[in-house]
Amino acid sequence: MDGLMKVLTVVGARPQFIKAATVSRAFAALNRSQGQEVVNERIVHTGQHYDANMSKVFFDELEIPPPAINLEVGSGSHGRQTAAMLERLESIIVEQAPDWVLIYGDTNSTLAGALAAVKVHIPVAHVEAGLRSYNRAMPEEINRLVADSVSTLLFCPTQTAVDNLRKEGVTRGVHLVGDVMYDSVLFNTSLARRKSDVLARLNLEPRSFFLATIHRAENTDDPERLAGILQALRETRTRIVLPLHPRTRKTLGDGLRRLSPKVQIVDPVPYLDMLMLESNARVILTDSGGVQKEAYWFGVPCVTLRDETEWVELIACGSNRLAGADPVAIGEAVRWAEEAAAAMRQRKRVDLYGDGKSAEKIVARLMDSR
Ligand code: UD1
Ligand code: UDP
């Protein structure tokens, strides 16, 4: 290997910190193994997520190198938020002249990183490329389509993602590497068992509770869908722990009081606490992308509060059911999940998302493709 590879990582939202942590660790491991700095990574935080429990806690707990720069764009409409990121990112990318701009997932920070870089002719590498919901009303779907179309390296977590890209005529630069979130779960689960006291703090016995998360715009911004989901939660007889995303807290406002006492609302939790909650839940209900997969890795049945999912292999293998936002459909799916729970914990799981060495593969490809 010759010369220093400069990588500018752009992140801004909770799941991106978790994904980037794994790749940053792989960069550091490569430098250690070479006995010198062969990769220089600088992290730019757009500031899309800024509450301590949506941002700082992940940098601290996962020992992510502190961001070199925080653009502090904060919240706003899609256009405003993305524009603020673009404007600030452009000068930083020009000034730093990295070999790669590295982006993750499908948020507005992903979109801004991709556009800012490609316009100044810096190649873009996209981790979690090729995912599609085929629902263009989702902001994430537009972000993915644009990011993938301008990326030089497209790191796909699944064969389905590779196939999706092929259907769009994209085969160059496409690499099936597995899912960095799987690397992350393998690395952090035993740490979580040692370090997290969330079960004791919330007085939770393993398998005695459901875990729920809700934050997707299609649910929070549609009063009918949100009401349907809340009704389903109210009607569930089991205790539900609901770490509430700030977006949903804001939308619900006073409505939070109308939830049944069975629904225990807590602030967003740190990642290690989340892994403990997930791995000890009887059933998970979620509209999150990452949480659907984590449910699978922990052998916990998942009821997905959406009409479609990008993680179609979870549906195919029978560990996840789409229930949308209709209380009757959610109720039925919960009954299925309750019945499936014990058997699912025992079931041998196939590696749908790679072998846990996704980050290493990404780093190797970046080094090779300079
Ligand atoms: C974003 C991503 C979504 C991802 C999610 C992960 C986009 C379009 N959406 O959604 O794909 O699944 O992050 O969590 O990029 N807020 C706070 N404090 C914060 C952050 C947000 O109060 O630290 C509130 C604000 O009222 C804000 C709202 O949450 O307007 C939504 O935040 P935003 O980052 O725009 O979208 P998310 O719903 O978080
Ligand atoms: N997560 C967390 N604390 C929480 C909720 C989620 O650490 O209170 C983690 C979760 O374990 C997963 C990631 O955040 O690794 C998923 O992020 P989110 O649901 O916000 O976004 P999505 O995956 O839907 O884009």
Side-chain angles (χ1 to χ4, degrees), residues 207-219:
R207 312 297 161 204
S208 69
F209 66 97
F210 292 178
L211 176 70
T213 77
I214 313 161
H215 77 277
R216 196 109 347 253
E218 72 209 38
N219 288 329

PDB file of all heavy atoms in Angstrom, residues 207-219:
ATOM      1  N   ARG A 207     -38.228 -11.153  28.443  1.00  0.00           N
ATOM      2  CA  ARG A 207     -39.412 -11.710  27.759  1.00  0.00           C
ATOM      3  C   ARG A 207     -40.743 -11.287  28.349  1.00  0.00           C
ATOM      4  O   ARG A 207     -41.780 -11.788  27.948  1.00  0.00           O
ATOM      5  CB  ARG A 207     -39.386 -13.251  27.717  1.00  0.00           C
ATOM      6  CG  ARG A 207     -38.084 -13.864  27.269  1.00  0.00           C
ATOM      7  CD  ARG A 207     -37.725 -13.504  25.870  1.00  0.00           C
ATOM      8  NE  ARG A 207     -36.309 -13.737  25.643  1.00  0.00           N
ATOM      9  CZ  ARG A 207     -35.581 -13.131  24.714  1.00  0.00           C
ATOM     10  NH1 ARG A 207     -36.133 -12.247  23.912  1.00  0.00           N
ATOM     11  NH2 ARG A 207     -34.313 -13.393  24.571  1.00  0.00           N
ATOM     12  N   SER A 208     -40.716 -10.378  29.330  1.00  0.00           N
ATOM     13  CA  SER A 208     -41.987  -9.983  29.939  1.00  0.00           C
ATOM     14  C   SER A 208     -42.566  -8.751  29.253  1.00  0.00           C
ATOM     15  O   SER A 208     -43.628  -8.276  29.610  1.00  0.00           O
ATOM     16  CB  SER A 208     -41.777  -9.658  31.420  1.00  0.00           C
ATOM     17  OG  SER A 208     -41.004  -8.466  31.524  1.00  0.00           O
ATOM     18  N   PHE A 209     -41.849  -8.214  28.265  1.00  0.00           N
ATOM     19  CA  PHE A 209     -42.281  -6.928  27.699  1.00  0.00           C
ATOM     20  C   PHE A 209     -42.113  -6.914  26.177  1.00  0.00           C
ATOM     21  O   PHE A 209     -41.364  -7.716  25.618  1.00  0.00           O
ATOM     22  CB  PHE A 209     -41.468  -5.790  28.335  1.00  0.00           C
ATOM     23  CG  PHE A 209     -40.004  -5.834  27.979  1.00  0.00           C
ATOM     24  CD1 PHE A 209     -39.488  -5.056  26.948  1.00  0.00           C
ATOM     25  CD2 PHE A 209     -39.113  -6.685  28.661  1.00  0.00           C
ATOM     26  CE1 PHE A 209     -38.140  -5.107  26.619  1.00  0.00           C
ATOM     27  CE2 PHE A 209     -37.768  -6.738  28.340  1.00  0.00           C
ATOM     28  CZ  PHE A 209     -37.279  -5.954  27.314  1.00  0.00           C
ATOM     29  N   PHE A 210     -42.835  -5.990  25.568  1.00  0.00           N
ATOM     30  CA  PHE A 210     -42.634  -5.696  24.151  1.00  0.00           C
ATOM     31  C   PHE A 210     -41.803  -4.413  24.065  1.00  0.00           C
ATOM     32  O   PHE A 210     -41.865  -3.574  24.963  1.00  0.00           O
ATOM     33  CB  PHE A 210     -43.964  -5.413  23.445  1.00  0.00           C
ATOM     34  CG  PHE A 210     -44.886  -6.584  23.304  1.00  0.00           C
ATOM     35  CD1 PHE A 210     -46.141  -6.400  22.715  1.00  0.00           C
ATOM     36  CD2 PHE A 210     -44.543  -7.863  23.732  1.00  0.00           C
ATOM     37  CE1 PHE A 210     -47.021  -7.460  22.565  1.00  0.00           C
ATOM     38  CE2 PHE A 210     -45.415  -8.929  23.588  1.00  0.00           C
ATOM     39  CZ  PHE A 210     -46.665  -8.721  22.999  1.00  0.00           C
ATOM     40  N   LEU A 211     -41.072  -4.301  22.965  1.00  0.00           N
ATOM     41  CA  LEU A 211     -40.323  -3.065  22.705  1.00  0.00           C
ATOM     42  C   LEU A 211     -40.890  -2.445  21.437  1.00  0.00           C
ATOM     43  O   LEU A 211     -41.115  -3.154  20.450  1.00  0.00           O
ATOM     44  CB  LEU A 211     -38.839  -3.397  22.498  1.00  0.00           C
ATOM     45  CG  LEU A 211     -37.941  -2.213  22.124  1.00  0.00           C
ATOM     46  CD1 LEU A 211     -37.783  -1.260  23.313  1.00  0.00           C
ATOM     47  CD2 LEU A 211     -36.561  -2.711  21.680  1.00  0.00           C
ATOM     48  N   ALA A 212     -41.143  -1.132  21.485  1.00  0.00           N
ATOM     49  CA  ALA A 212     -41.669  -0.468  20.286  1.00  0.00           C
ATOM     50  C   ALA A 212     -40.865   0.785  19.967  1.00  0.00           C
ATOM     51  O   ALA A 212     -40.360   1.455  20.883  1.00  0.00           O
ATOM     52  CB  ALA A 212     -43.136  -0.096  20.498  1.00  0.00           C
ATOM     53  N   THR A 213     -40.708   1.080  18.679  1.00  0.00           N
ATOM     54  CA  THR A 213     -40.193   2.394  18.263  1.00  0.00           C
ATOM     55  C   THR A 213     -41.036   2.890  17.091  1.00  0.00           C
ATOM     56  O   THR A 213     -41.468   2.097  16.257  1.00  0.00           O
ATOM     57  CB  THR A 213     -38.690   2.394  17.843  1.00  0.00           C
ATOM     58  OG1 THR A 213     -38.545   1.832  16.533  1.00  0.00           O
ATOM     59  CG2 THR A 213     -37.800   1.652  18.821  1.00  0.00           C
ATOM     60  N   ILE A 214     -41.265   4.195  17.084  1.00  0.00           N
ATOM     61  CA  ILE A 214     -42.048   4.824  15.997  1.00  0.00           C
ATOM     62  C   ILE A 214     -41.397   6.165  15.662  1.00  0.00           C
ATOM     63  O   ILE A 214     -41.252   7.014  16.538  1.00  0.00           O
ATOM     64  CB  ILE A 214     -43.493   5.164  16.450  1.00  0.00           C
ATOM     65  CG1 ILE A 214     -44.154   4.002  17.193  1.00  0.00           C
ATOM     66  CG2 ILE A 214     -44.346   5.611  15.269  1.00  0.00           C
ATOM     67  CD1 ILE A 214     -45.349   4.459  18.028  1.00  0.00           C
ATOM     68  N   HIS A 215     -40.994   6.337  14.431  1.00  0.00           N
ATOM     69  CA  HIS A 215     -40.486   7.660  14.064  1.00  0.00           C
ATOM     70  C   HIS A 215     -40.650   7.995  12.588  1.00  0.00           C
ATOM     71  O   HIS A 215     -40.408   9.128  12.179  1.00  0.00           O
ATOM     72  CB  HIS A 215     -39.004   7.800  14.423  1.00  0.00           C
ATOM     73  CG  HIS A 215     -38.081   7.105  13.468  1.00  0.00           C
ATOM     74  ND1 HIS A 215     -37.798   5.775  13.558  1.00  0.00           N
ATOM     75  CD2 HIS A 215     -37.397   7.562  12.384  1.00  0.00           C
ATOM     76  CE1 HIS A 215     -36.955   5.436  12.585  1.00  0.00           C
ATOM     77  NE2 HIS A 215     -36.704   6.497  11.855  1.00  0.00           N
ATOM     78  N   ARG A 216     -41.031   7.009  11.784  1.00  0.00           N
ATOM     79  CA  ARG A 216     -41.037   7.234  10.341  1.00  0.00           C
ATOM     80  C   ARG A 216     -42.073   8.299   9.971  1.00  0.00           C
ATOM     81  O   ARG A 216     -43.191   8.303  10.508  1.00  0.00           O
ATOM     82  CB  ARG A 216     -41.351   5.884   9.688  1.00  0.00           C
ATOM     83  CG  ARG A 216     -41.069   5.781   8.304  1.00  0.00           C
ATOM     84  CD  ARG A 216     -39.933   4.955   7.725  1.00  0.00           C
ATOM     85  NE  ARG A 216     -38.875   4.407   8.495  1.00  0.00           N
ATOM     86  CZ  ARG A 216     -37.624   4.865   8.497  1.00  0.00           C
ATOM     87  NH1 ARG A 216     -37.308   5.926   7.791  1.00  0.00           N
ATOM     88  NH2 ARG A 216     -36.693   4.256   9.177  1.00  0.00           N
ATOM     89  N   ALA A 217     -41.693   9.218   9.074  1.00  0.00           N
ATOM     90  CA  ALA A 217     -42.562  10.341   8.711  1.00  0.00           C
ATOM     91  C   ALA A 217     -43.951   9.861   8.279  1.00  0.00           C
ATOM     92  O   ALA A 217     -44.962  10.467   8.620  1.00  0.00           O
ATOM     93  CB  ALA A 217     -41.904  11.150   7.597  1.00  0.00           C
ATOM     94  N   GLU A 218     -43.992   8.767   7.532  1.00  0.00           N
ATOM     95  CA  GLU A 218     -45.296   8.300   7.029  1.00  0.00           C
ATOM     96  C   GLU A 218     -46.254   7.955   8.177  1.00  0.00           C
ATOM     97  O   GLU A 218     -47.456   7.974   8.000  1.00  0.00           O
ATOM     98  CB  GLU A 218     -45.107   7.086   6.104  1.00  0.00           C
ATOM     99  CG  GLU A 218     -44.726   5.807   6.827  1.00  0.00           C
ATOM    100  CD  GLU A 218     -43.887   4.849   5.974  1.00  0.00           C
ATOM    101  OE1 GLU A 218     -43.024   5.324   5.210  1.00  0.00           O
ATOM    102  OE2 GLU A 218     -44.089   3.633   6.090  1.00  0.00           O
ATOM    103  N   ASN A 219     -45.702   7.648   9.358  1.00  0.00           N
ATOM    104  CA  ASN A 219     -46.550   7.380  10.525  1.00  0.00           C
ATOM    105  C   ASN A 219     -46.755   8.621  11.391  1.00  0.00           C
ATOM    106  O   ASN A 219     -47.873   8.913  11.805  1.00  0.00           O
ATOM    107  CB  ASN A 219     -45.947   6.259  11.375  1.00  0.00           C
ATOM    108  CG  ASN A 219     -46.085   4.905  10.688  1.00  0.00           C
ATOM    109  OD1 ASN A 219     -47.047   4.665   9.945  1.00  0.00           O
ATOM    110  ND2 ASN A 219     -45.130   4.025  10.919  1.00  0.00           N
TER     111      ASN A 219
END
